[in-house]
Amino acid sequence: MSKLTIAVLMGGYSSEATISQMSGNTVCKHLDPSKYTVYPISILKDGWHCTHPDHKPIPVDKSDFSITLDGTKIKFDCVFNTIHGTPGEDGRIQAYLGLLNIPQTACNYYEAALTFNKRDCISVLRAYGIKTATNYFINQGDAINAEEIISKVGLPCFVKANKAGSSFGVSKVYAAEDLEAALENSFKEDDEIIIESFLEGTEVSVGVINYNGKITALPVTEIVSENDFFDYEAKYAGKSQEITPARISPEQTDSVQREAERVFKILKLKGLTRAEFIFHNGEPHFLEVNTTPGLSPASIIPQQAKVAGISLSDLFDNVIQQAISGRSSQ
C-alpha cells in the first residue's frame, strides 16, 4: 500500500502565526512515516511555501494546491490544518480546499466561520440552552456608552477581540476609566468586540474529538493562571498551571464533558476541538471553542491525550483517517 501525501498547514496571517508553527511542527514529528509522506506548508502573508527540511522553500501553486519537487508535481491526499486564526480557523482555507475537493482535518468552512466569531457562536449556543456570561457587543466606530456597558455586564469584566485567539486583544477591566484603553487594545486585533461579565469560578478546558467514529470528550484540564487571567503569557510563557485531570468532582467532570460534547454536536464540528468553560455557581458556563487548537508540547490537547492513553501518533492518524473517509459525526 502506497503512503499518503499529507500537507501540514501552519502559520497564518494573525498574531498567532508563531504558535501555529509550533503546532504544525509537532504534527509533522508525530505522523507515522511508514504511512505518510509529510510536507510542512507555511501559509504566510508573504507567500505560501513548503518548508521541507531537505529542500529550499518550494512555492505552492494556489491553482490546485500543489508543489513541484525535482520536476514532479505533488498533490496532497489530505491537509492537516494547524493554522490558528485567519485563514485557517475562520473558514477561508476550508472553503478553498473544499472547492479543490481536498480533504482537510478541521471543521467545514461555515462551522469554522461561525465558531471563530465568538459573538455569533455564543448566540447560537445560547438558543440551545448552553449557559454563557452576560455579553455586550461593540463594532469599531460605534458610540461608546461606558455607563450602559457596565450596567449590563458589571465590573470587573472582560473586553475581547471578537475574532482572535491565544488571548490576543483581551483585557480584564476593573474600573470604568480603564474601559477605553481596553477597547483600543482589542481593536488592534479586530473591528468587532465582545464584552463579557466576569464569572467567578474554576476555569476548565475540554478537548472533544471524533475518535474511532465516536464523539469523545478527553480528560478535563483545570486552568490556574499566575496572572490575572489566562492570557498569552499564562498560555505560552509558563505563567499558569494546567492540571489534568482537573481537581473537580466526578459529577462536575461528567457535566462539563457532556456539555462539551453537546457543543461539538450542535455546531457540527469535526477534527480536534477544545471548548473552554468556567464553573460558575456550580454549573459550567461556555466561554469559547477552538477548532484548530494548539498542538505544541505545551498545549492542552496533547496533555489530555496523554492522560487518556492516546499517543499523538494515534490521535493525529485518527484525524486524518476521519477526514479522508468523510465520516461525519455520529
Side-chain angles (χ1 to χ4, degrees), residues 113-201:
L114 174 63
T115 53
F116 194 66
N117 187 309
K118 296 181 181 72
R119 303 188 326 191
D120 290 354
C121 184
I122 285 169
S123 298
V124 168
L125 291 175
R126 191 179 284 152
Y128 284 86
I130 303 291
K131 291 180 172 60
T132 69
T134 301
N135 309 116
Y136 190 102
F137 303 157
I138 293 177
N139 292 340
Q140 199 157 33
D142 289 351
I144 307 300
N145 187 328
E147 184 178 341
E148 180 181 292
I149 293 168
I150 292 167
S151 68
K152 182 173 183 182
V153 303
L155 288 172
C157 64
F158 283 100
V159 178
K160 302 179 178 181
N162 187 41
K163 300 186 293 292
S166 290
S167 298
F168 288 106
V170 180
S171 303
K172 189 175 182 180
V173 174
Y174 287 91
E177 56 265 28
D178 298 328
L179 187 61
E180 184 177 349
L183 292 170
E184 289 177 2
N185 179 52
S186 294
F187 279 133
K188 292 175 184 176
E189 295 291 331
D190 190 25
D191 61 359
E192 298 176 350
I193 286 177
I194 178 170
I195 304 174
E196 295 180 336
S197 61
F198 171 66
L199 298 176
E200 183 74 45

Coordinates of all heavy atoms in Angstrom, one line a residue, residues 113-201:
A113 N -16.2 29.4 10.3 CA -16.5 30.9 10.4 C -17.4 31.2 11.6 O -17.2 32.2 12.3 CB -17.2 31.3 9.1
L114 N -18.4 30.3 11.9 CA -19.3 30.5 13.0 C -18.5 30.5 14.3 O -18.7 31.4 15.2 CB -20.4 29.5 13.0 CG -21.3 29.5 14.1 CD1 -22.1 30.8 14.2 CD2 -22.3 28.3 14.1
T115 N -17.7 29.5 14.5 CA -17.1 29.3 15.8 C -16.0 30.3 16.0 O -15.6 30.7 17.2 CB -16.5 27.9 16.0 OG1 -15.6 27.6 14.8 CG2 -17.6 26.8 16.0
F116 N -15.4 30.8 14.9 CA -14.3 31.8 15.0 C -14.9 33.2 15.5 O -14.2 34.0 16.1 CB -13.6 32.0 13.7 CG -12.3 32.8 13.8 CD1 -11.2 32.2 14.5 CD2 -12.2 34.0 13.2 CE1 -10.0 32.9 14.6 CE2 -11.0 34.7 13.2 CZ -9.9 34.2 13.9
N117 N -16.2 33.4 15.2 CA -16.9 34.6 15.6 C -17.5 34.4 17.0 O -18.6 33.7 17.1 CB -17.9 35.0 14.5 CG -18.5 36.3 14.8 OD1 -19.0 36.6 15.9 ND2 -18.6 37.1 13.8
K118 N -16.8 34.8 18.0 CA -17.3 34.5 19.4 C -18.7 34.9 19.6 O -19.5 34.2 20.2 CB -16.4 35.2 20.4 CG -14.9 34.7 20.4 CD -14.2 35.4 21.5 CE -12.7 35.0 21.5 NZ -11.9 35.5 20.4
R119 N -19.1 36.1 19.1 CA -20.5 36.6 19.3 C -21.5 35.7 18.7 O -22.5 35.4 19.3 CB -20.6 38.1 18.8 CG -19.5 39.0 19.4 CD -19.6 40.4 19.1 NE -20.1 40.9 17.8 CZ -20.0 42.1 17.4 NH1 -19.4 43.1 18.2 NH2 -20.4 42.5 16.2
D120 N -21.3 35.4 17.4 CA -22.2 34.5 16.7 C -22.3 33.1 17.3 O -23.4 32.6 17.5 CB -21.9 34.4 15.2 CG -22.1 35.7 14.5 OD1 -22.6 36.7 15.1 OD2 -21.7 35.8 13.3
C121 N -21.2 32.6 17.7 CA -21.1 31.2 18.3 C -21.9 31.2 19.6 O -22.8 30.3 19.8 CB -19.7 30.8 18.5 SG -19.5 29.1 19.1
I122 N -21.7 32.2 20.5 CA -22.4 32.2 21.7 C -23.9 32.4 21.5 O -24.7 31.8 22.2 CB -21.9 33.4 22.6 CG1 -20.5 33.0 23.2 CG2 -22.8 33.8 23.7 CD1 -19.8 34.2 23.8
S123 N -24.3 33.2 20.5 CA -25.7 33.4 20.2 C -26.4 32.1 19.8 O -27.5 31.9 20.2 CB -25.9 34.5 19.1 OG -25.4 35.8 19.6
V124 N -25.7 31.3 19.0 CA -26.3 30.1 18.5 C -26.4 29.1 19.7 O -27.5 28.5 19.9 CB -25.4 29.4 17.4 CG1 -25.8 28.0 17.2 CG2 -25.5 30.2 16.1
L125 N -25.4 29.0 20.5 CA -25.4 28.0 21.6 C -26.4 28.4 22.7 O -27.0 27.5 23.3 CB -24.0 27.8 22.2 CG -23.0 27.2 21.3 CD1 -21.6 27.2 21.9 CD2 -23.4 25.7 20.9
R126 N -26.5 29.7 22.9 CA -27.5 30.1 24.0 C -28.9 29.7 23.6 O -29.7 29.4 24.5 CB -27.4 31.6 24.1 CG -28.1 32.2 25.3 CD -27.9 33.7 25.4 NE -26.6 34.0 25.9 CZ -26.0 35.2 25.6 NH1 -26.6 36.0 24.8 NH2 -24.8 35.4 26.1
A127 N -29.2 29.7 22.3 CA -30.5 29.2 21.9 C -30.8 27.8 22.2 O -31.9 27.3 22.3 CB -30.7 29.5 20.4
Y128 N -29.7 27.0 22.4 CA -29.8 25.6 22.8 C -29.7 25.4 24.3 O -29.6 24.2 24.7 CB -28.7 24.8 22.1 CG -29.0 24.5 20.6 CD1 -28.6 25.4 19.6 CD2 -29.6 23.3 20.2 CE1 -28.9 25.2 18.3 CE2 -29.9 23.1 18.8 CZ -29.5 24.0 17.9 OH -29.7 23.8 16.6
G129 N -29.7 26.4 25.0 CA -29.7 26.3 26.5 C -28.3 26.2 27.1 O -28.2 25.9 28.3
I130 N -27.3 26.4 26.3 CA -25.9 26.5 26.8 C -25.7 27.7 27.6 O -25.9 28.8 27.1 CB -24.8 26.4 25.7 CG1 -25.1 25.1 24.8 CG2 -23.4 26.4 26.2 CD1 -24.8 23.8 25.5
K131 N -25.2 27.6 28.9 CA -25.1 28.8 29.7 C -23.8 29.6 29.3 O -22.8 28.9 29.1 CB -25.0 28.4 31.2 CG -26.3 27.9 31.7 CD -26.2 27.5 33.2 CE -27.6 27.1 33.8 NZ -28.2 26.0 33.1
T132 N -23.9 30.9 29.3 CA -22.7 31.8 29.0 C -22.7 33.0 29.9 O -23.7 33.2 30.7 CB -22.8 32.3 27.5 OG1 -23.9 33.2 27.4 CG2 -23.0 31.1 26.5
A133 N -21.7 33.8 29.8 CA -21.6 35.0 30.5 C -22.6 36.0 29.9 O -23.1 35.8 28.8 CB -20.2 35.6 30.5
T134 N -22.9 37.1 30.6 CA -23.7 38.2 30.0 C -22.8 39.0 29.1 O -21.6 39.3 29.4 CB -24.2 39.1 31.1 OG1 -25.0 38.4 32.0 CG2 -25.0 40.3 30.6
N135 N -23.3 39.3 27.9 CA -22.4 39.9 26.8 C -22.9 41.3 26.4 O -24.1 41.6 26.5 CB -22.4 39.0 25.6 CG -22.0 37.6 26.0 OD1 -22.9 36.7 25.8 ND2 -20.9 37.3 26.5
Y136 N -22.0 42.1 25.9 CA -22.3 43.3 25.2 C -21.4 43.4 24.0 O -20.2 43.2 24.1 CB -22.0 44.5 26.2 CG -22.5 45.8 25.8 CD1 -23.6 46.4 26.3 CD2 -21.8 46.6 24.8 CE1 -24.1 47.7 25.9 CE2 -22.2 47.8 24.4 CZ -23.4 48.4 24.9 OH -23.8 49.6 24.5
F137 N -22.0 43.8 22.9 CA -21.3 43.8 21.6 C -21.0 45.3 21.1 O -21.9 46.1 21.2 CB -22.0 43.1 20.5 CG -22.4 41.7 20.8 CD1 -23.4 41.0 20.2 CD2 -21.6 40.9 21.7 CE1 -23.8 39.7 20.5 CE2 -21.9 39.6 22.0 CZ -23.0 39.0 21.4
I138 N -19.8 45.5 20.6 CA -19.4 46.8 20.0 C -18.7 46.6 18.7 O -17.8 45.7 18.7 CB -18.6 47.6 21.0 CG1 -19.3 48.0 22.3 CG2 -18.0 48.9 20.4 CD1 -18.5 48.7 23.3
N139 N -19.0 47.4 17.7 CA -18.2 47.5 16.5 C -17.4 48.8 16.4 O -17.8 49.8 17.0 CB -19.1 47.4 15.3 CG -19.8 46.1 15.1 OD1 -19.4 45.1 15.7 ND2 -20.9 46.0 14.4
Q140 N -16.3 48.7 15.7 CA -15.4 49.9 15.6 C -16.3 51.0 15.0 O -17.0 50.8 14.0 CB -14.2 49.6 14.7 CG -13.1 50.6 14.9 CD -11.7 50.0 14.5 OE1 -11.7 49.2 13.7 NE2 -10.7 50.4 15.2
G141 N -16.2 52.2 15.6 CA -17.0 53.3 15.1 C -18.2 53.6 15.8 O -18.8 54.6 15.7
D142 N -18.7 52.6 16.6 CA -19.9 52.8 17.5 C -19.6 53.8 18.6 O -18.5 53.9 19.1 CB -20.3 51.4 18.1 CG -20.9 50.4 17.1 OD1 -21.1 50.8 16.0 OD2 -21.1 49.3 17.5
A143 N -20.7 54.5 19.0 CA -20.6 55.3 20.1 C -20.4 54.4 21.4 O -21.0 53.4 21.5 CB -21.8 56.2 20.3
I144 N -19.5 54.8 22.3 CA -19.2 54.1 23.5 C -19.9 54.7 24.7 O -19.7 55.9 25.0 CB -17.7 54.0 23.8 CG1 -16.9 53.6 22.5 CG2 -17.4 53.2 25.0 CD1 -17.3 52.2 22.0
N145 N -20.8 53.9 25.2 CA -21.5 54.4 26.4 C -21.1 53.5 27.6 O -21.6 52.4 27.8 CB -23.0 54.2 26.2 CG -23.9 54.8 27.3 OD1 -23.4 54.8 28.5 ND2 -25.0 55.4 27.0
A146 N -20.1 54.0 28.3 CA -19.4 53.2 29.4 C -20.5 52.8 30.5 O -20.5 51.7 31.0 CB -18.3 53.9 30.0
E147 N -21.3 53.8 30.8 CA -22.3 53.6 31.8 C -23.3 52.4 31.5 O -23.6 51.6 32.3 CB -23.1 54.9 32.1 CG -24.1 54.7 33.3 CD -24.8 56.1 33.5 OE1 -24.3 57.1 33.1 OE2 -25.9 56.0 34.2
E148 N -23.7 52.4 30.2 CA -24.6 51.4 29.7 C -23.9 50.0 29.7 O -24.5 49.0 30.1 CB -25.1 51.8 28.3 CG -26.0 50.8 27.7 CD -26.5 51.2 26.3 OE1 -27.2 52.2 26.2 OE2 -26.0 50.5 25.3
I149 N -22.7 50.0 29.3 CA -21.9 48.7 29.2 C -21.8 48.1 30.6 O -22.1 47.0 30.9 CB -20.5 49.0 28.6 CG1 -20.7 49.3 27.1 CG2 -19.7 47.7 28.7 CD1 -19.4 49.8 26.5
I150 N -21.4 49.0 31.6 CA -21.1 48.5 32.9 C -22.4 48.1 33.6 O -22.4 47.1 34.4 CB -20.3 49.5 33.7 CG1 -18.9 49.6 33.1 CG2 -20.2 49.2 35.2 CD1 -18.1 50.8 33.6
S151 N -23.5 48.8 33.3 CA -24.7 48.5 34.0 C -25.2 47.1 33.5 O -25.9 46.4 34.2 CB -25.8 49.5 33.6 OG -26.2 49.5 32.3
K152 N -24.8 46.7 32.3 CA -25.2 45.4 31.8 C -24.3 44.3 32.2 O -24.8 43.2 32.7 CB -25.3 45.4 30.3 CG -25.8 44.1 29.7 CD -26.0 44.1 28.2 CE -26.6 42.8 27.7 NZ -26.8 42.7 26.3
V153 N -23.0 44.5 32.1 CA -22.1 43.3 32.4 C -21.4 43.4 33.8 O -20.9 42.4 34.2 CB -21.0 43.3 31.3 CG1 -21.6 43.1 29.9 CG2 -20.0 44.5 31.3
G154 N -21.4 44.6 34.4 CA -20.8 44.7 35.7 C -19.3 44.9 35.6 O -18.7 44.8 34.6
L155 N -18.7 45.0 36.8 CA -17.3 45.1 37.0 C -16.8 44.0 38.0 O -17.5 43.8 39.0 CB -16.8 46.5 37.4 CG -16.9 47.6 36.3 CD1 -16.6 48.9 37.0 CD2 -15.9 47.3 35.2
P156 N -15.7 43.4 37.8 CA -14.8 43.5 36.6 C -15.5 42.8 35.4 O -16.4 42.1 35.6 CB -13.6 42.8 37.0 CG -14.0 41.8 38.1 CD -15.1 42.5 38.8
C157 N -15.0 43.1 34.2 CA -15.5 42.5 33.0 C -14.3 42.2 32.1 O -13.2 42.7 32.3 CB -16.5 43.4 32.3 SG -15.9 45.0 31.7
F158 N -14.6 41.4 31.1 CA -13.5 41.1 30.1 C -13.9 41.8 28.8 O -15.0 41.8 28.3 CB -13.4 39.6 29.8 CG -12.7 38.9 30.9 CD1 -13.3 38.2 31.9 CD2 -11.3 38.9 30.9 CE1 -12.6 37.6 32.9 CE2 -10.6 38.3 31.9 CZ -11.2 37.6 32.9
V159 N -12.9 42.4 28.1 CA -13.0 43.0 26.8 C -12.2 42.2 25.9 O -11.0 42.0 26.1 CB -12.6 44.5 26.8 CG1 -12.7 45.1 25.4 CG2 -13.4 45.3 27.8
K160 N -12.8 41.7 24.8 CA -12.1 40.7 23.9 C -12.3 41.1 22.5 O -13.4 41.5 22.0 CB -12.7 39.3 24.1 CG -12.6 38.7 25.5 CD -13.2 37.3 25.5 CE -13.1 36.7 26.9 NZ -13.7 35.3 26.9
A161 N -11.3 40.9 21.7 CA -11.5 41.0 20.2 C -12.4 39.8 19.8 O -12.2 38.7 20.3 CB -10.1 40.9 19.5
N162 N -13.3 40.1 19.0 CA -14.3 39.0 18.7 C -13.8 37.9 17.9 O -14.1 36.7 18.1 CB -15.5 39.7 17.9 CG -16.7 38.7 17.7 OD1 -17.0 38.0 18.6 ND2 -17.2 38.7 16.5
K163 N -12.8 38.2 17.0 CA -12.3 37.1 16.1 C -10.8 37.1 16.2 O -10.0 37.6 15.4 CB -12.7 37.4 14.6 CG -14.2 37.4 14.4 CD -14.6 37.5 12.9 CE -14.2 38.8 12.3 NZ -15.0 39.9 12.8
A164 N -10.3 36.6 17.4 CA -8.9 36.4 17.6 C -8.7 35.3 18.6 O -9.6 35.0 19.4 CB -8.3 37.7 18.1
G165 N -7.5 34.7 18.7 CA -7.3 33.7 19.6 C -6.0 33.9 20.4 O -5.4 34.9 20.4
S166 N -5.6 32.9 21.2 CA -4.5 32.9 22.1 C -4.4 34.1 23.0 O -3.4 34.6 23.4 CB -3.2 32.8 21.2 OG -3.0 31.6 20.6
S167 N -5.6 34.6 23.4 CA -5.7 35.7 24.3 C -5.1 37.0 23.8 O -4.8 37.9 24.6 CB -5.1 35.4 25.7 OG -5.8 34.3 26.2
F168 N -5.0 37.2 22.5 CA -4.6 38.5 21.9 C -5.8 39.4 22.0 O -7.0 39.0 21.7 CB -4.2 38.3 20.5 CG -2.8 37.7 20.3 CD1 -2.7 36.4 19.9 CD2 -1.7 38.4 20.6 CE1 -1.4 35.8 19.7 CE2 -0.4 37.8 20.5 CZ -0.3 36.5 20.1
G169 N -5.6 40.6 22.3 CA -6.7 41.6 22.3 C -7.7 41.4 23.5 O -8.8 41.8 23.3
V170 N -7.2 40.8 24.6 CA -8.1 40.6 25.7 C -7.6 41.4 26.9 O -6.4 41.4 27.2 CB -8.1 39.1 26.1 CG1 -9.0 38.9 27.3 CG2 -8.6 38.3 24.9
S171 N -8.5 42.0 27.6 CA -8.2 42.8 28.9 C -9.2 42.5 29.9 O -10.4 42.3 29.6 CB -8.1 44.3 28.6 OG -7.2 44.6 27.6
K172 N -8.8 42.5 31.2 CA -9.7 42.5 32.3 C -9.8 43.9 32.9 O -8.8 44.5 33.2 CB -9.2 41.5 33.4 CG -10.3 41.2 34.5 CD -9.8 40.1 35.4 CE -10.8 39.8 36.5 NZ -10.3 38.7 37.4
V173 N -11.1 44.4 32.9 CA -11.3 45.8 33.3 C -12.0 45.8 34.7 O -13.0 45.2 34.9 CB -12.2 46.5 32.3 CG1 -12.6 47.9 32.7 CG2 -11.5 46.5 30.9
Y174 N -11.3 46.6 35.6 CA -11.9 46.7 37.0 C -12.6 48.0 37.2 O -13.4 48.2 38.1 CB -10.7 46.6 38.0 CG -10.2 45.2 38.1 CD1 -9.1 44.8 37.3 CD2 -10.7 44.3 39.0 CE1 -8.6 43.5 37.4 CE2 -10.2 43.1 39.2 CZ -9.1 42.7 38.4 OH -8.6 41.4 38.5
A175 N -12.3 49.1 36.4 CA -12.8 50.4 36.6 C -13.3 51.0 35.3 O -12.7 50.7 34.2 CB -11.8 51.3 37.3
A176 N -14.3 51.8 35.4 CA -14.9 52.4 34.2 C -13.9 53.2 33.4 O -13.9 53.2 32.1 CB -16.1 53.3 34.5
E177 N -12.9 53.9 34.1 CA -12.0 54.7 33.4 C -10.9 53.9 32.6 O -10.2 54.4 31.7 CB -11.2 55.6 34.4 CG -10.5 54.9 35.5 CD -11.4 54.9 36.8 OE1 -12.7 54.9 36.6 OE2 -10.8 54.8 37.8
D178 N -10.9 52.6 32.8 CA -10.0 51.7 32.1 C -10.6 51.1 30.8 O -9.9 50.4 30.1 CB -9.4 50.6 33.0 CG -8.7 51.1 34.2 OD1 -8.0 52.2 34.0 OD2 -8.7 50.5 35.3
L179 N -11.9 51.3 30.7 CA -12.6 50.7 29.6 C -12.1 51.1 28.2 O -11.9 50.3 27.3 CB -14.1 50.9 29.7 CG -15.0 50.2 28.7 CD1 -14.9 48.7 28.9 CD2 -16.5 50.7 28.9
E180 N -11.8 52.4 28.0 CA -11.4 52.9 26.7 C -10.1 52.3 26.3 O -10.0 51.9 25.1 CB -11.3 54.5 26.8 CG -10.9 55.1 25.4 CD -10.9 56.6 25.5 OE1 -11.3 57.2 26.5 OE2 -10.4 57.2 24.5
A181 N -9.1 52.2 27.2 CA -7.8 51.6 26.8 C -8.0 50.1 26.4 O -7.3 49.6 25.5 CB -6.9 51.8 28.0
A182 N -8.9 49.4 27.1 CA -9.1 48.0 26.8 C -9.8 47.9 25.5 O -9.4 47.0 24.7 CB -10.0 47.4 27.9
L183 N -10.7 48.8 25.1 CA -11.3 48.7 23.8 C -10.3 49.0 22.7 O -10.2 48.3 21.7 CB -12.4 49.7 23.7 CG -13.7 49.5 24.6 CD1 -14.6 50.7 24.6 CD2 -14.4 48.2 24.1
E184 N -9.4 49.9 22.9 CA -8.3 50.2 22.0 C -7.4 49.0 21.8 O -7.0 48.7 20.6 CB -7.5 51.4 22.4 CG -8.3 52.8 22.3 CD -7.4 53.9 22.9 OE1 -6.3 53.7 23.3 OE2 -7.9 55.1 22.9
N185 N -7.1 48.3 22.8 CA -6.3 47.1 22.7 C -7.0 46.1 21.9 O -6.3 45.4 21.0 CB -6.0 46.6 24.1 CG -5.2 45.3 24.1 OD1 -4.1 45.3 23.5 ND2 -5.6 44.3 24.8
S186 N -8.3 45.9 22.1 CA -9.0 44.8 21.3 C -9.1 45.2 19.9 O -9.1 44.4 19.0 CB -10.4 44.6 21.9 OG -10.3 44.0 23.2
F187 N -9.3 46.5 19.6 CA -9.5 47.0 18.2 C -8.2 46.8 17.4 O -8.2 46.9 16.2 CB -10.0 48.4 18.2 CG -11.5 48.6 18.4 CD1 -12.0 49.5 19.3 CD2 -12.4 47.8 17.7 CE1 -13.3 49.7 19.4 CE2 -13.7 47.9 17.9 CZ -14.2 48.9 18.8
K188 N -7.1 46.6 18.1 CA -5.8 46.3 17.3 C -5.9 45.0 16.6 O -5.2 44.7 15.6 CB -4.6 46.4 18.3 CG -4.3 47.7 18.8 CD -3.2 47.6 19.9 CE -2.9 49.0 20.5 NZ -1.8 48.8 21.6
E189 N -6.7 44.1 17.2 CA -6.9 42.7 16.6 C -8.1 42.5 15.7 O -8.1 41.7 14.8 CB -6.9 41.7 17.8 CG -5.7 41.6 18.6 CD -4.5 41.0 17.9 OE1 -4.7 40.2 17.0 OE2 -3.4 41.4 18.2
D190 N -9.1 43.3 16.0 CA -10.4 43.1 15.2 C -11.2 44.3 15.3 O -11.1 45.2 16.2 CB -11.1 41.9 15.8 CG -12.3 41.4 15.0 OD1 -12.3 41.6 13.8 OD2 -13.3 40.8 15.5
D191 N -12.2 44.5 14.3 CA -13.1 45.6 14.3 C -14.4 45.3 15.1 O -15.3 46.2 15.1 CB -13.3 46.1 12.9 CG -14.0 45.1 12.0 OD1 -14.2 44.0 12.5 OD2 -14.3 45.4 10.9
E192 N -14.5 44.2 15.7 CA -15.6 43.8 16.5 C -15.1 43.4 17.9 O -14.1 42.7 18.0 CB -16.4 42.6 15.8 CG -17.0 42.9 14.5 CD -17.6 41.7 13.8 OE1 -17.5 40.6 14.4 OE2 -18.3 41.9 12.8
I193 N -15.9 43.7 18.9 CA -15.5 43.4 20.3 C -16.7 42.8 21.0 O -17.9 43.1 20.7 CB -15.1 44.7 21.0 CG1 -13.7 45.2 20.5 CG2 -15.1 44.6 22.5 CD1 -13.2 46.5 21.1
I194 N -16.4 41.9 21.9 CA -17.3 41.3 22.8 C -16.9 41.7 24.2 O -15.7 41.5 24.6 CB -17.5 39.8 22.6 CG1 -18.5 39.2 23.6 CG2 -16.2 39.1 22.7 CD1 -18.9 37.8 23.3
I195 N -17.8 42.2 25.0 CA -17.5 42.5 26.4 C -18.4 41.5 27.3 O -19.6 41.4 27.1 CB -17.9 43.9 26.8 CG1 -17.1 44.9 25.8 CG2 -17.6 44.3 28.2 CD1 -17.5 46.3 26.0
E196 N -17.7 40.8 28.2 CA -18.4 39.8 29.0 C -18.3 40.0 30.5 O -17.3 40.5 31.0 CB -17.7 38.4 28.7 CG -17.8 37.9 27.3 CD -17.2 36.6 27.1 OE1 -16.3 36.2 27.8 OE2 -17.6 35.9 26.1
S197 N -19.3 39.7 31.1 CA -19.3 39.7 32.6 C -18.3 38.8 33.2 O -18.0 37.7 32.5 CB -20.7 39.4 33.2 OG -21.1 38.1 32.8
F198 N -17.7 39.1 34.3 CA -16.8 38.2 34.9 C -17.5 37.1 35.7 O -18.4 37.3 36.4 CB -15.9 39.0 36.0 CG -15.1 38.2 36.8 CD1 -14.0 37.5 36.3 CD2 -15.3 38.1 38.2 CE1 -13.2 36.7 37.1 CE2 -14.5 37.4 39.0 CZ -13.4 36.7 38.5
L199 N -17.1 35.9 35.4 CA -17.6 34.7 36.0 C -16.6 34.2 37.0 O -15.5 33.7 36.7 CB -18.0 33.6 35.0 CG -19.0 34.0 33.9 CD1 -19.1 32.8 32.9 CD2 -20.3 34.3 34.5
E200 N -17.0 34.2 38.3 CA -16.1 33.7 39.4 C -16.3 32.2 39.4 O -17.4 31.6 39.4 CB -16.6 34.3 40.7 CG -15.7 33.8 41.9 CD -14.4 34.5 41.9 OE1 -14.3 35.8 41.7 OE2 -13.3 33.9 42.1
G201 N -15.1 31.5 39.4 CA -15.2 30.0 39.4 C -14.0 29.4 38.8 O -13.0 30.0 38.4

